[in-house]
Amino acid sequence: MPTINEILAGAAAIAKGMGVTVKEMLNPVLTDDYPGAPPKFQQRYRGLHVLQRDENGLEKCVACFLCSAACPVQCIYIEAADNTGQARMSGGERYAAVYNIDYSRCIFCGYCVEACPTDAITHGHGFELASYNTSTLIYRKEQLLAPLSAGTSGELQLDPPVASAPAGH
Ligand code: SF4
Ligand code: SF4
């Protein structure tokens, strides 16, 4: 048979617990309703990378390989190519013809972003990377490039192509 003191202590404990519950019920809800609604990220969140473009729509990446050199797990693969007089993809002498990131190895440390001299590579807020097939975790430049803004083409035609003489003349 519980004593009166034990009954009072039990009632006090229940009242204390209910007080916490009621207080939390009155606070704003912090839980995201994902996947019912898009999650909210802090600005500093390091998600899927974005290869940025400049105001003309050209790729900011000039294929200097500094991000690749800074990556502690060597998951960035780049093949450089020269811009030509006829077509320019970036603002520098070269551009990345191939730019792959292997997300089965990336640890989202941000070293590549810190190393980039042109702010070409940044972290976005993409996070839905899970896959049962690791080969799909190698993201190509085309998947990482920022979308073109209205009125830009992503390529500058500098010199008009030289017209070749018709055959037989
Ligand atoms: S975030 Fe880190 S691990 Fe991922 S690609 Fe950049 S440097 Fe490499
Ligand atoms: S993303 Fe930046 S650091 Fe990496 S190759 Fe391009 S310009 Fe260089």
Side-chain angles (χ1 to χ4, degrees):
M1 182 89 178
T3 65
I4 188 73
N5 283 343
E6 288 170 335
I7 292 172
L8 288 175
I14 290 171
K16 187 177 176 187
M18 290 306 294
V20 172
T21 303
V22 170
K23 187 177 159 202
E24 288 303 318
M25 284 170 66
L26 298 176
N27 281 341
V29 176
L30 297 178
T31 309
D32 280 344
D33 187 25
Y34 179 81
K40 301 177 204 73
F41 290 102
Q42 296 295 324
Q43 201 54 36
R44 63 180 180 273
Y45 178 78
R46 293 184 194 146
L48 193 68
H49 296 83
V50 179
L51 288 174
Q52 302 290 347
R53 298 178 183 274
D54 65 17
E55 61 278 8
N56 297 314
L58 294 178
E59 296 166 20
K60 281 188 169 183
C61 176
V62 294
C64 68
F65 290 81
L66 286 177
C67 54
S68 177
C71 179
V73 294
Q74 287 90 47
C75 70
I76 300 177
Y77 176 80
I78 301 168
E79 287 181 15
D82 290 327
N83 288 306
T84 66
Q86 280 72 46
R88 171 171 288 280
M89 304 296 290
S90 77
E93 286 184 20
R94 301 191 299 176
Y95 69 98
V98 175
Y99 193 110
N100 296 346
I101 297 181
D102 184 350
Y103 282 104
S104 68
R105 295 160 66 189
C106 175
I107 54 173
F108 297 90
C109 63
Y111 285 6
C112 52
V113 176
E114 297 297 324
C116 181
T118 62
D119 293 331
I121 185 163
T122 61
H123 280 290
H125 288 171
F127 70 101
E128 291 166 316
L129 293 167
S131 172
Y132 287 110
N133 182 354
T134 52
S135 67
T136 64
L137 293 175
I138 299 175
Y139 275 53
R140 302 172 64 83
K141 182 176 99 170
E142 293 72 18
Q143 295 166 279
L144 299 169
L145 264 177
L148 283 165
S149 51
T152 57
S153 69
E155 183 174 354
L156 279 188
Q157 301 292 331
L158 298 182
D159 301 331
V162 179
S164 54
H169 292 272

